[in-house]
Amino acid sequence: MQLLKPRSFRFSWVDTFLWAIRIGALVFIVVGVLGTVSKAVDGEGLTAQAWRELVVTGLAQGSMYGLIALGYSMVYGVLGFINFAHGEVFMSGAVTGFFAANALADAGVWDSQPIVGLGVTILVSMATSMLVAVLIERLAYRPLRGAPRLIPLITSIGMSFFVQYTFRGLFGESFKSYPVLPTVMQGRISLLGIEILKTQLVVIIVAAVAMAGLYTYVTRTRMGRAMRAIAEDREIAALMGVNVDRVIALTFAVGGAMAGVAGVLWALLFRQVYFLTGFLPGIKAFTAAVLGGIGNMAGAYVGGLALGLFESLGPLLVLDGWDIPSVSQLKDVVAFSALVLILIFRPTGLLGERLAVEERG
Amino acid sequence: MAVSEAPPVDRRKVLRAGLLGGLGFVFVSTIGMVETFSTKNVIDPILSLGYTVLMSIAVWTGYRGAKAAAVDREARAAERILSGAAAGLVGGLVGAIYVVWINTFVVREVLSNISPRLIELLNFGGGMGSGITLAIVGGLVGGAVGALLSLASPLMRRALIGAFLWVLIVGFLEVVISQILRELHLGFIVGLAIPSVAALVLGRFLQRGPALVFGLLAAVALGIYSAINLESVGLSMTFLIDFLYESRVGGRALTTPAAAVIFVLAFVLVVVTERPRKRARARIAAMDPEERQRWLFGGVAVFLGLGIFLPMLLGSVVNELLATTGIFLLMGLGLNIVIGYAGLLDLGYVAFFAVGAYTTAILTSPLSKVSFDWGFIATPLNFWEAMPFVIVAAAIAGIIVGTPVIRMRGDYLAIVTLGFGEIARILFLSDWLSGTTGGAQGISRIPSIPLGFTEIKGTDQQMIFYAVFFFVLIAAYISWRLQDSRIGRSWMAMREDEQVAETMGVNIVRAKLQAFVIGAIIASFSGAVFAVKFGTIFPASFSLIVSITVLVVIIVGGMGNIPGVAVGALVMIGVLGGRNSPGLLREFEGFKLLIYGALLILMMLKRPEGLLPSRRRARELHQDEALQDVWLRAAAAGEHDEDGS
């Protein structure tokens, strides 16, 4: 952990600058919020219902980010590098899920048995994402064990483009629209006095279930224990009889499966997928992982939810208070600024980083 | 003769090689590469690029399969050929199954690139039967050839592969070569040769500074003189063009006899020059620094001469390509300082490029809404007046991006800089700043660069190339001077180990910021020329792909090495094509990023130091660092345990 603390107590101008950023950011946010509040008092802003909807939208998107972030976090835990290609793992699930959903819709299952239809789609998507993740690990990362740490990172950037354009080559570059949702899942439902979209509810529930399943798996099973052991110390784990290569492959598989679930959830929220779908959610999910504390599984989920909320509320709550026009364009700016600010304010993330071996550099 | 018990052929390896080859075949066919590449003829009636790819896969499969057989070459030749052919056969069988599959089922609904045209191509014109036969026979023969290749001596192998590559290169560079041959006149040769010789000779007597200046002046004077006077004494080379290339519907390609001649020539050349080349390399290694410097310097003079005269021979298409290559080379030189020297993986480098372009555009375009009048200077400025502002803006951007990330670790730094790059692009695009930046419409009517006696118009590709070349020279000079300077050495120390460097007295904060600022300024030059070249800039031109492309350029070329970056830019941008601009191989357009990605992976796996590496960097990457890492990790783990108890 040493690297994350200031190494000396000299108060250089860099610290001054960073403090200036911290204070400036706080002032910016507070003034923005006050501006929005004063607007609301004047009766100009959004209605209470609209705010509630924004919160739910944020939670739904956030749970999706959280699921993808798990993959980043787990891989970072065992291998200590950012698997940049994880966004593509997510995309591969989303795109193949489309073909499954289409076939199911043609067969009528999608409408008559929505739960079965959704379940099968998710399974197909999970399987593809798992396969892609494991293949990536086998082909590109395994030969690089022990290489200087920027090398796997650059490899993963290459892998990301390779997978993207392979999918473009395979399935074309058009947008693929998932079939229209069964009527049961359309419209809104009233929950605790809040009207929310049913799809968003489904997304939140499915993500929470997947997360709970994963958590149980990692904390309760032998393989889960092996995974944690490797994250703790790879060499010692190997000495204790853990098959390191297999467990690492398994980590990729599990992370991939979660990304596959997220792929279908993305389709529920946005309907359309194509070969570049993975890029932005991938980076956002990485942001979420850092936000929650990378290497920390619960942190990934919490970070995802937090990022989703920042993204949906941030523009309207903070930027609107400054009278910036068309704030929704700046959604991604809010997300990335959140990343920069979190790393300045609290580099170990919300729940703290859990990395056993701190590597150099 | 002691014949040792030779290990048997590793059948699983043969099988694996074959299956991999088969999968490769399926892959390139399914993603549409074969179909697209089949439109490019390499050797006129016989060979298209698509078939070349398939053939290479077969040969490669055989080569790998042959390696599964015993190591002892002489004793086991037959076995090697057999296992190579077997691997080829396996691959061919996979291919045959694939051919049957695409002939029987219509899968185009899902796999959009399995088109009737592809099926026709894989059937080799005939029906399914001929497709199957040819896949199997082709696999078998290709495999055997690959096995033979593995039996040949290293020199032979290199000569054969080299000769084949030369045929491909001459085929691909059809546009450039015929253009040069058409325009070639004595003036060019004289203009290039005299100053190079002069610089080399003078280098023996003079200090390098004066010799460089003299060489340059001589080059310019003689070049202009000879270009004017000797143009009429053309060397008619058109017969060569007619011999080399043939026009067909699918573009011009090598004729069969020309291909044969080139193959033989290149083969002989590789074999004959083997010994002199070895000797030359040994001599270069044994040279004392001063002598090496003199040669280096002759090389620089030749490069300058080429840079000045070559564009005169080339048409606007190739010149535009060169200009684009130069723009990326310029960015590559800047990023090389940030990543190659200082080891800071910056994925948002495009932001600085954008700052340069936007500052130039805002200050020089008459349509810009920003205006000021300070008496001695008033908007719209001209290019040179805007330059100081561009530099200052870039330096500020460098500090803004650099300061927050000073305390971050390598991979966090990568993602945060990527975030900054995206923030910059979205802000340029947003309605919020559209008063200044023009939003999605961007800024248009960026004027040309005034030069006093003439001006550099964006549409004049040759002049744009000169402008880029000018800035490339500046950037290369800066990089070269910095490399072994105090700053350069502190960067290298930092790249190796930040903590140790800090302990040894390197001011990490200053070193990092210097790297960011200098890198940013060089990128902003590139952006400024880019803005003039296109006359209009949009936020869409500054997406993440640009950063990645520049990264690929320096990684493929060789990080930390100036000629390496140049090679990388020529190969990646000139041949494959950069963003928005097709390279020489237009057929690659759709697969550019796929190939970029594959190249990044391959380079990292096989040759992380790049094609033309810096010697120090290569050594680092290969042994020292690996050893050191293992050792350090062990030490760190030990330390952690003590902390924990």
Side-chain angles (χ1 to χ4, degrees):
Chain A
M1 292 288 145
Q2 293 150 322
L3 282 181
L4 301 172
K5 293 177 202 156
R7 254 166 263 150
S8 60
F9 292 105
R10 264 180 320 175
F11 201 74
S12 70
W13 69 268
V14 177
D15 298 293
T16 324
F17 186 87
L18 291 180
W19 272 107
I21 293 182
R22 288 182 182 127
I23 294 166
L26 274 182
V27 171
F28 185 85
I29 292 170
V30 169
V31 173
V33 171
L34 287 179
T36 311
V37 169
S38 76
K39 268 191 189 173
V41 172
D42 296 345
E44 281 174 33
L46 299 174
T47 58
Q49 170 65 18
W51 282 111
R52 278 185 223 122
E53 272 176 27
L54 276 180
V55 171
V56 178
T57 308
L59 285 179
Q61 280 215 44
S63 10
M64 202 182 59
Y65 290 151
L67 284 184
I68 311 173
L70 281 169
Y72 281 104
S73 215
M74 291 170 66
V75 167
Y76 201 96
V78 293
L79 286 179
F81 78 93
I82 300 167
N83 178 15
F84 206 85
H86 192 63
E88 270 43 73
V89 171
F90 156 78
M91 178 275 292
S92 62
V95 169
T96 36
F98 158 77
F99 291 109
N102 236 5
L104 289 170
D106 285 347
V109 183
W110 193 255
D111 272 319
S112 58
Q113 299 282 339
I115 295 186
V116 176
L118 191 64
V120 172
T121 310
I122 289 182
L123 281 181
V124 170
S125 167
M126 274 170 84
T128 321
S129 288
M130 264 167 98
L131 184 73
V132 171
V134 171
L135 269 180
I136 290 178
E137 192 271 333
R138 182 68 194 81
L139 294 178
Y141 303 150
R142 193 174 295 180
L144 289 174
R145 298 274 158 78
R149 64 188 293 161
L150 282 189
I151 289 192
L153 179 61
I154 295 172
T155 312
S156 70
I157 295 173
M159 204 27 125
S160 167
F161 282 87
F162 186 75
V163 176
Q164 267 174 22
Y165 284 83
T166 300
F167 267 74
R168 188 181 103 152
L170 291 177
F171 304 119
E173 51 189 334
S174 58
F175 277 95
K176 294 170 187 8
S177 296
Y178 269 62
V180 179
L181 289 174
T183 36
V184 196
M185 275 154 71
Q186 286 169 352
R188 289 161 190 278
I189 189 171
S190 175
L191 202 74
L192 303 172
I194 311 172
E195 294 270 312
I196 59 178
L197 284 172
K198 283 183 191 165
T199 44
Q200 293 182 337
L201 187 67
V202 171
V203 168
I204 294 173
I205 292 174
V206 171
V209 169
M211 176 65 208
L214 179 73
Y215 197 77
T216 323
Y217 179 74
V218 173
T219 47
R220 296 288 161 82
T221 63
R222 253 179 94 78
M223 284 319 263
R225 195 157 62 207
M227 246 177 240
R228 282 178 289 137
I230 288 183
E232 200 71 31
D233 191 319
R234 201 191 306 162
E235 270 91 27
I236 304 290
L239 290 177
M240 294 297 160
V242 177
N243 184 340
V244 174
D245 280 345
R246 234 179 82 200
V247 176
I248 290 178
L250 188 79
T251 311
F252 272 84
V254 174
M258 291 296 128
V261 176
V264 178
L265 299 187
W266 168 276
L268 284 184
L269 292 178
F270 302 104
R271 290 276 317 280
Q272 288 189 322
V273 294
Y274 77 130
F275 73 102
L276 289 178
T277 293
F279 174 68
L280 215 52
I283 297 178
K284 299 268 185 65
F286 172 74
T287 307
V290 174
L291 205 61
I294 199 156
N296 179 335
M297 283 181 37
Y301 193 62
V302 173
L305 292 181
L307 186 73
L309 287 177
F310 287 166
E311 241 187 53
S312 68
L313 294 178
L316 286 161
L317 192 60
V318 180
L319 300 183
D320 201 32
W322 285 87
D323 284 329
I324 293 170
S326 9
V327 281
S328 55
Q329 287 177 336
L330 301 177
K331 201 177 67 164
D332 297 339
V333 172
V334 172
F336 291 126
S337 309
L339 173 69
V340 176
L341 289 177
I342 288 289
L343 283 175
I344 292 174
F345 272 103
R346 192 177 154 81
T348 49
L350 296 175
L351 297 194
E353 190 169 4
R354 288 227 189 107
L355 290 179
V357 186
E358 185 51 57
E359 269 146 306
R360 72 204 180 86
Chain B
M1 204 170 87
V3 178
S4 57
E5 189 74 14
V9 176
D10 189 342
R11 290 218 180 81
R12 280 175 56 191
K13 261 191 186 164
V14 174
L15 189 68
R16 201 189 299 158
L19 286 178
L20 257 178
L23 279 181
F25 174 84
V26 173
F27 182 79
V28 292
S29 307
T30 313
I31 63 168
M33 229 178 196
V34 173
E35 189 190 336
T36 315
F37 285 7
S38 69
T39 55
K40 170 87 185 170
N41 266 357
V42 183
I43 303 173
D44 185 40
I46 352 178
L47 196 61
S48 75
L49 185 56
Y51 287 141
T52 312
V53 170
L54 293 183
M55 208 180 71
S56 321
I57 291 178
V59 172
W60 176 75
T61 307
Y63 182 76
R64 286 195 36 141
K67 287 215 154 164
V71 200
D72 190 350
R73 240 202 328 260
E74 270 70 26
R76 295 284 168 181
E79 225 160 63
R80 281 206 141 197
I81 295 177
L82 269 180
S83 55
L89 182 66
V90 173
L93 283 174
V94 174
I97 294 170
Y98 178 72
V99 169
V100 172
W101 180 58
I102 61 174
N103 271 294
T104 332
F105 300 99
V106 178
V107 284
R108 202 157 182 207
E109 295 266 294
V110 178
L111 299 169
S112 56
N113 273 314
I114 298 189
S115 60
R117 167 109 180 92
L118 175 77
I119 299 173
E120 196 188 311
L121 273 171
L122 292 184
N123 286 345
F124 293 89
M128 187 168 86
S130 80
I132 297 170
T133 324
L134 273 163
I136 294 175
V137 173
L140 202 64
V141 174
V145 172
L148 282 175
L149 212 57
S150 83
L151 280 174
S153 72
L155 173 63
M156 264 315 150
R157 188 158 57 222
R158 222 173 34 235
L160 282 171
I161 295 175
F164 180 65
L165 284 180
W166 270 110
V167 173
L168 285 185
I169 289 172
V170 178
F172 288 156
L173 298 187
E174 178 269 316
V175 182
V176 184
I177 291 177
S178 43
Q179 182 97 43
I180 291 179
L181 289 179
R182 209 172 298 135
E183 299 281 324
L184 198 65
H185 53 82
L186 267 179
F188 174 73
I189 295 170
V190 176
L192 186 62
I194 295 182
S196 328
V197 173
L200 278 179
V201 172
L202 284 168
R204 297 204 76 86
F205 301 110
L206 295 173
Q207 294 291 318
R208 57 188 156 91
L212 184 62
V213 174
F214 189 86
L216 203 70
L217 286 179
V220 173
L222 278 168
I224 293 172
Y225 172 79
S226 50
I228 296 168
N229 285 297
L230 296 174
E231 190 150 12
S232 50
V233 197
L235 296 168
S236 177
M237 292 288 189
T238 36
F239 72 93
L240 206 53
I241 306 176
D242 292 340
F243 170 68
L244 280 176
Y245 302 112
E246 182 137 8
S247 280
R248 275 294 166 95
V249 190
R252 290 158 65 82
L254 277 178
T255 56
T256 319
V261 169
I262 294 169
F263 189 87
V264 172
L265 268 183
F267 181 82
V268 171
L269 212 70
V270 174
V271 174
V272 170
T273 58
E274 169 72 1
R275 211 170 301 162
R277 258 187 300 151
K278 239 181 212 163
R279 224 177 298 144
R281 218 171 294 144
R283 219 183 121 199
I284 292 173
M287 267 181 200
D288 58 87
E290 208 173 312
E291 200 182 353
R292 195 179 296 161
Q293 192 114 74
R294 222 148 34 209
W295 280 99
L296 172 82
F297 172 51
V300 170
V302 174
F303 177 72
L304 277 178
L306 273 178
I308 293 171
F309 292 113
L310 205 54
M312 295 180 183
L313 292 185
L314 302 167
S316 66
V317 175
V318 181
N319 264 323
E320 160 144 43
L321 210 63
L322 274 180
T324 312
T325 308
I327 284 174
F328 275 92
L329 169 57
L330 196 49
M331 270 195 278
L333 286 172
L335 192 62
N336 180 42
I337 289 180
V338 184
I339 302 185
Y341 291 176
L344 305 164
L345 185 59
D346 181 350
L347 292 183
Y349 195 60
V350 66
F352 304 134
F353 179 64
V355 166
Y358 266 99
T359 315
T360 313
I362 289 171
L363 292 177
T364 61
S365 168
L367 296 183
S368 152
K369 302 217 173 60
V370 176
S371 65
F372 56 80
D373 188 349
W374 294 340
F376 64 99
I377 197 164
T379 52
L381 310 177
N382 72 32
F383 183 83
W384 301 113
E385 288 164 349
M387 224 50 216
F389 294 94
V390 170
I391 292 174
V392 170
I396 292 174
I399 291 173
I400 289 177
V401 174
T403 316
V405 300
I406 278 176
R407 300 272 154 80
M408 285 174 199
R409 285 183 320 215
D411 28 20
Y412 279 12
L413 189 144
I415 297 288
V416 168
T417 47
L418 187 153
F420 271 122
E422 285 292 291
I423 290 177
R425 187 179 62 82
I426 300 169
L427 286 182
F428 283 133
L429 185 64
S430 68
D431 288 351
W432 179 31
L433 298 180
S434 64
T436 326
T437 61
Q441 273 84 46
I443 303 177
S444 55
R445 284 184 56 197
I446 299 160
S448 45
I449 306 175
L451 281 182
F453 57 96
T454 176
E455 57 176 2
I456 299 178
K457 286 206 195 82
T459 46
D460 185 350
Q461 298 307 331
Q462 192 178 327
M463 291 306 277
I464 286 289
F465 171 75
Y466 287 139
V468 178
F469 193 65
F470 170 72
F471 283 111
V472 165
L473 288 182
I474 294 181
Y477 183 74
I478 293 175
S479 312
W480 177 57
R481 295 296 294 167
L482 282 177
Q483 197 164 17
D484 295 317
S485 70
R486 195 182 163 78
I487 304 179
R489 278 177 290 135
S490 53
W491 282 337
M492 262 164 245
M494 189 171 79
R495 182 180 77 204
E496 284 309 287
D497 192 318
E498 208 176 302
Q499 278 164 308
V500 172
E502 190 166 31
T503 317
M504 300 310 280
V506 173
N507 185 340
I508 294 290
V509 170
R510 190 195 292 165
K512 281 192 176 175
L513 282 182
Q514 274 164 340
F516 269 110
V517 168
I518 295 172
I521 290 175
I522 293 179
S524 74
F525 288 158
S526 187
V529 182
F530 176 85
V532 174
K533 178 170 186 279
F534 288 99
T536 307
I537 52 171
F538 316 100
S541 313
F542 307 103
S543 62
L544 174 79
I545 307 291
V546 178
S547 304
I548 301 292
T549 310
V550 182
L551 181 70
V552 176
V553 162
I554 66 170
I555 282 174
V556 170
M559 241 193 255
N561 192 21
I562 302 167
V565 179
V567 167
L570 276 176
V571 172
M572 303 308 296
I573 311 300
V575 179
L576 291 180
R579 183 181 158 71
N580 296 333
S581 65
L584 278 174
L585 295 181
R586 279 161 200 283
E587 289 70 24
F588 275 68
E589 190 54 22
F591 301 99
K592 202 161 54 194
L593 284 157
L594 183 87
I595 294 171
Y596 279 3
L599 267 177
L600 267 185
I601 302 168
L602 276 183
M603 291 306 275
M604 285 297 114
L605 289 177
K606 302 285 179 204
R607 205 177 154 89
E609 71 273 21
L611 290 176
L612 217 66
S614 91
R615 215 171 306 162
R616 191 181 329 214
R617 185 96 185 127
R619 229 173 357 201
E620 279 164 21
L621 282 169
H622 273 292
Q623 28 178 327
D624 299 353
E625 192 152 329
L627 287 175
Q628 218 178 16
D629 256 24
V630 172
W631 180 77
L632 274 171
R633 207 165 299 141
E639 193 178 288
H640 171 78
D641 284 350
E642 279 159 33
D643 286 351
S645 60

